[in-house]
Amino acid sequence: MSVFINKDTTLVVQGITGRDGSFHTKQMIEYGTRVVAGVTPGKGGQKFEGTVPVYNTVADAVQATGANTSVIYVPPMFAADAIIEAADAGVQLIVAITEGVPVLDMTRVYPYVKEKGARLLGPNCPGLISPGESKVGIIPGRICAPGPVGVVSRSGTLTYEIVYQLTRAGIGQTTCVGIGGDPINGTNFIDALAAFEKDPATKVICMMGEIGGTDEQEAAEFVKQHMTKPVVGFIAGQTAPPGRRMGHAGAIISGSAGTAAEKLQAFRDAGMGVAKRPIDFVDLVKARLH
Amino acid sequence: MNIHEYQAKDILRAIGAPIPPGEIATTPDEAEAIASRIGKMVVVKAQVHAGGRGKAGGVKLAKTPAEAREKAQAILGMQIKGLTVEKVLVTEAADIASEAYVGIILDRASKKPVFMVSPAGGIDIEEVAATTPEKILKLPIDTRYGLMPFQAMRLGFFLYDDLAKARAAAKIMGQLYTAFMQSGCSLAEINPLVVTPTGDVIAVDAKMVIDDNELDRRPAIAALRDESAEAPSEVQARNANLTFIKLDGNVGCVVNGAGLAMATMDLVKYYGGEPANFLDIGGSSNPEKVVNALRIITADPRVKAILFNIFGGITRTDDVANGIVTATKENPLKVPIVIRLTGTNEEIAMKILTENGFSASSDMDEAVKKAVALATGGQAA
């Protein structure tokens, strides 16, 4: 079992012929993801790698293939349009990998997607992977293994680091979800936690947050009120200075709000396990699996 | 990206917002000339990207052009929060009957720009929010519809009971919202919004922060960047497409990915060291980026050890290894280097490094411990 994507996920790739889009489409196909269509305006009628049909619009792709999920690799200035196009075409899950999307664009995109009843993951996220079933995005497949742990994170490489350490310790994952590092994103920690709570195969959840905003504090409150499964948390940016954007657009301490200390305290108050170092996840998860 | 007060005022003035006349000066002579042109009492204001300019002595009243010259002389070149004042704004001094706060922030929780207005203006709005939250009206705006006239009036009436003043304020709200959207802001503030003794409503100070992601499509706004107001190492890093933030420690960090970069800094601290910087070389693994990263980090004499932490997903670790070899051939290192890399093409990377006299490990904790020991022990490589 898994959350958000599984072996029945049928994927359309927006920006399939671009540099990043083509590279990662090959990786997804290799992993076993059912890539049923690609979209690049003006290249409709072509076949990607001789197998995946390319369409001019997402509407055409969905009509022809019934794709239920989309992944977006278009440049930042076109990402808002691409997300709305996917939602408009009736795609249920839209995964926006693109980094650098203007935040004001997201203020229009978010309510549109919500009103359409679709789920958006990202932007500026690595996507998600349900090991052994499907991968949508850029998370390296070989560092994951099937198992009982749900992973949700605002980061990319930090997630790989922790997932890799879990896998090496013999702990596999149901689904690893990267919600992305932007201040306005489609799916937050609570959405992912709620999905893991409902997924019978997920036994323990690992949550990797970072400085900035209050998403982690709200997630901790959700854990306290609604979760029966154990959650282990980590916050990156304990040494980050206030007022500086630490790479991710959302990773910024404003005044005295959004610090690591405040978030870690919220985790402790919610009875969550707290990993001080990435490697600590291994023992904390092991203790909660048995 | 931060822009200066005078730049934010220029943007607002172009939209028609009522702002007292003022010009920028880089010398006392210019300040005197501007004050003469204005022909009234002026304020000389330091233009730096730091709050608390007034408290630091960077804002002074001047009754005559000669006095404006004197004040400019004192303010130009002064340090405010580590930043040197290169420019002053010389602007007409306003007569103040009352002060209010008007701001728009891009709010993560509501996923909208949110207006914040308060009749308690001229001071720190965070303080007002903490102590007297009832004095602040927060109003989220749906950017698909924009600021509706009734919303602008509601904001105006929250500040002023008088219809004429509420209308004047509402008009300024609309202008600030237009500036916010047209410039791609994450924050725009008028603080204070002033009512003069004659009943005019005017903007006396303005601040704007631009979302960096907007700059590609707004070249006119991008051109407002003042590199002299930033740390040289950060300018150099940005021009090399690296995300770099200078810190106070002595362990120089080179990492791929923002989350891992923060976690690496935290781990340095955990093992008793202090990170010298945040540096994310990003997802693509162009060896040139590694060369630039090393150049920037080694320029800081406080750095006593360099730590590479690379998790190869999209990033190919062999590219990073090649970058390290190239960079150190060009510029031999004077401090020890600790390399941790794992993931894509790890075997090739290890081979490249070993052949060139470097050692590398695949364990993050071991590498961080070693870098901290080298930095605190001060041993040479």
Side-chain angles (χ1 to χ4, degrees), chain A residues 19 23-24 76-77 99-108 110-112 115 138 140 142-143 154-158 160-162 164-165 168 181-186 188 210-214 218 234-241 244-252 254-256 276-280, chain B residues 106-113 126 141-145 180-185 211-218 234 243-247 255-263 265-267 269-271 274-275 278 280 284 309-315 340 342-346 362-365 369:
Chain A
R19 190 178 58 101
F23 176 80
H24 291 291
M77 298 310 155
E99 178 176 3
V101 181
V103 187
L104 282 174
D105 286 3
M106 291 308 299
T107 65
R108 291 195 304 272
Y110 181 81
Y112 184 86
E115 282 159 21
I138 63 176
R142 55 174 180 76
I143 63 169
R154 266 167 80 178
S155 163
T157 48
L158 174 61
Y160 309 165
E161 177 78 47
I162 292 164
Y164 178 61
Q165 295 192 6
R168 272 208 307 191
D182 275 4
I184 297 183
N185 53 17
N188 63 18
E210 59 191 32
I211 53 161
T214 55
E218 282 142 28
F234 176 84
I235 299 291
Q238 301 177 47
T239 49
R244 303 302 307 270
R245 166 175 153 165
M246 305 302 282
H248 290 157
I252 178 164
S254 321
S256 58
K276 288 186 178 143
R277 302 170 296 170
I279 187 72
D280 293 337
Chain B
L106 205 43
D107 179 54
R108 304 161 75 129
S110 63
K111 302 183 195 288
K112 293 181 171 81
E126 273 196 34
I141 306 299
D142 188 328
T143 53
R144 295 175 298 173
Y145 308 108
F180 184 91
M181 296 303 291
Q182 284 182 356
S183 312
C185 290
D211 174 6
D212 290 6
N213 294 348
E214 295 275 1
L215 298 175
D216 277 351
R217 66 179 175 189
R218 301 184 197 277
E234 292 179 13
T243 313
F244 174 86
I245 292 167
K246 181 86 205 72
L247 300 168
V255 189
N256 66 323
L260 189 59
M262 281 189 275
M265 287 162 44
D266 295 350
L267 207 56
K269 179 98 177 174
Y270 180 89
Y271 287 117
E274 289 290 342
F278 168 93
D280 173 11
S284 94
N309 185 16
I310 305 296
F311 196 103
I314 317 163
T315 304
R340 182 272 176 150
T342 189
T344 311
N345 293 356
E346 180 179 331
S362 63
D363 186 290
M364 176 165 164
D365 287 72
K369 271 191 244 178

Side-chain angles (χ1 to χ4, degrees), chain A residues 202-275:
Chain A
T202 301
K203 305 297 180 202
V204 177
I205 297 110
C206 295
M207 175 177 155
M208 293 133 216
E210 59 191 32
I211 53 161
T214 55
D215 214 16
E216 289 84 355
Q217 294 89 314
E218 282 142 28
E221 192 56 34
F222 180 84
V223 168
K224 201 162 143 187
Q225 303 289 338
H226 304 288
M227 298 280 293
T228 61
K229 298 175 182 176
V231 182
V232 179
F234 176 84
I235 299 291
Q238 301 177 47
T239 49
R244 303 302 307 270
R245 166 175 153 165
M246 305 302 282
H248 290 157
I252 178 164
I253 299 169
S254 321
S256 58
T259 63
E262 165 192 334
K263 288 167 192 263
L264 289 168
Q265 191 54 48
F267 286 177
R268 285 188 206 100
D269 291 346
M272 290 168 52
V274 171

Side-chain angles (χ1 to χ4, degrees), chain B residues 298-313:
Chain B
T298 51
D300 179 354
R302 277 183 299 184
V303 170
K304 300 294 178 219
I306 295 166
L307 169 66
F308 269 77
N309 185 16
I310 305 296
F311 196 103

Side-chain angles (χ1 to χ4, degrees), chain B residues 110-275:
Chain B
S110 63
K111 302 183 195 288
K112 293 181 171 81
V114 173
F115 261 96
M116 288 188 21
V117 303
S118 173
I123 51 165
D124 186 358
I125 196 65
E126 273 196 34
E127 211 175 291
V128 178
T131 53
T132 48
E134 70 282 359
K135 285 190 184 160
I136 295 181
L137 174 64
K138 291 186 183 180
L139 190 66
I141 306 299
D142 188 328
T143 53
R144 295 175 298 173
Y145 308 108
L147 176 70
M148 302 296 286
F150 81 92
Q151 292 175 311
M153 279 309 288
R154 190 176 157 205
L155 293 164
F157 276 123
F158 188 77
L159 298 181
Y160 311 114
D161 294 330
D162 176 75
L163 176 64
K165 290 191 192 85
R167 272 198 180 133
K171 193 171 172 196
I172 294 170
M173 304 290 170
Q175 288 158 336
L176 186 65
Y177 182 77
T178 302
F180 184 91
M181 296 303 291
Q182 284 182 356
S183 312
C185 290
S186 54
L187 178 144
E189 266 181 5
I190 295 174
N191 187 26
L193 182 73
V194 159
V195 177
T196 66
T198 50
D200 292 328
V201 183
I202 58 171
V204 165
D205 198 351
K207 178 181 175 180
M208 285 185 193
V209 180
I210 313 294
D211 174 6
D212 290 6
N213 294 348
E214 295 275 1
L215 298 175
D216 277 351
R217 66 179 175 189
R218 301 184 197 277
I221 299 292
L224 298 178
R225 185 187 291 282
D226 179 2
E227 293 196 338
S228 73
E230 299 173 78
S233 56
E234 292 179 13
V235 174
Q236 203 186 346
R238 190 177 53 244
N239 293 337
N241 274 321
L242 300 164
T243 313
F244 174 86
I245 292 167
K246 181 86 205 72
L247 300 168
D248 294 328
N250 57 12
V251 180
C253 302
V254 183
V255 189
N256 66 323
L260 189 59
M262 281 189 275
T264 304
M265 287 162 44
D266 295 350
L267 207 56
V268 166
K269 179 98 177 174
Y270 180 89
Y271 287 117
E274 289 290 342

